[in-house]
Amino acid sequence: MSLSVALHALAAVVWVGGMFFAYVLLRPSVAELAAADRLSLWRRVFGRFFPWVLGCIAVLLLTGYHMLFAMGGFAGAGMHVHIMHLTGWVMVLLFFHLYFAPWRRFQQAVTGGALDEAGRQLGTIRTVVAINLALGLLTVAIAASGRYWG
């Protein structure tokens, strides 16, 4: 159980921390770059980050369900576990949408030199990342505090 808890926490830190870094620090730092340079940089950054997110999702699902069912399943789980379960799945579904739709279109647009389209797709990616970052921070807060709820 302790290994599952540790792996679960580490996967959450990598995913949420990566989104925080990209959205809060990197995005404003590259805003002054020329469009072609900025879009190329984002392609490289996301190209390295998204495989990590996929791995984190796998670890989070495996360890989360392992811990849940080792402790008796949904019936015995606290409200915070149910909320984490919901927010986690919303995050996963949003990421899969991002990965299989705007991310693919973004890559194609950058490769084809369609900078305006790449910029539009990057805007969509940015929106999904902002939503997932908010959900991720909320989920971490719930995970840290949930066992102390009334």
Side-chain angles (χ1 to χ4, degrees):
M1 183 64 74
S2 60
L3 179 61
S4 287
V5 170
L7 291 174
H8 198 81
L10 289 171
V13 165
V14 169
W15 187 5
V16 176
M19 289 188 297
F20 183 89
F21 174 79
Y23 194 83
V24 175
L25 303 171
L26 185 59
R27 184 180 59 87
S29 297
V30 303
E32 294 182 19
L33 293 177
D37 294 335
R38 184 176 61 253
L39 296 168
S40 178
L41 174 68
W42 279 117
R43 183 177 185 187
R44 291 190 311 275
V45 168
F46 289 143
R48 293 182 198 289
F49 181 56
F50 289 165
W52 280 92
V53 174
L54 291 168
C56 289
I57 289 170
V59 169
L60 287 163
L61 292 174
L62 290 170
T63 58
Y65 284 120
H66 171 260
M67 290 184 290
L68 179 66
F69 291 112
M71 300 300 288
F74 285 103
M79 179 57 70
H80 67 290
V81 174
H82 292 279
I83 295 170
M84 286 188 300
H85 187 245
L86 173 65
T87 58
W89 269 110
V90 170
M91 289 178 67
V92 167
L93 293 173
L94 283 170
F95 176 76
F96 284 155
H97 165 70
L98 179 158
Y99 188 77
F100 290 109
W103 167 239
R104 300 231 177 191
R105 290 190 298 262
F106 172 79
Q107 289 179 292
Q108 292 168 348
V110 170
T111 299
L115 300 185
D116 288 343
E117 179 60 21
R120 280 191 290 282
Q121 294 306 319
L122 183 60
T124 301
I125 292 168
R126 183 181 309 124
T127 300
V128 175
V129 169
I131 294 166
N132 258 0
L133 175 57
L135 286 170
L137 292 171
L138 173 67
T139 304
V140 168
I142 291 167
S145 67
R147 73 184 74 171
Y148 303 108
W149 296 0

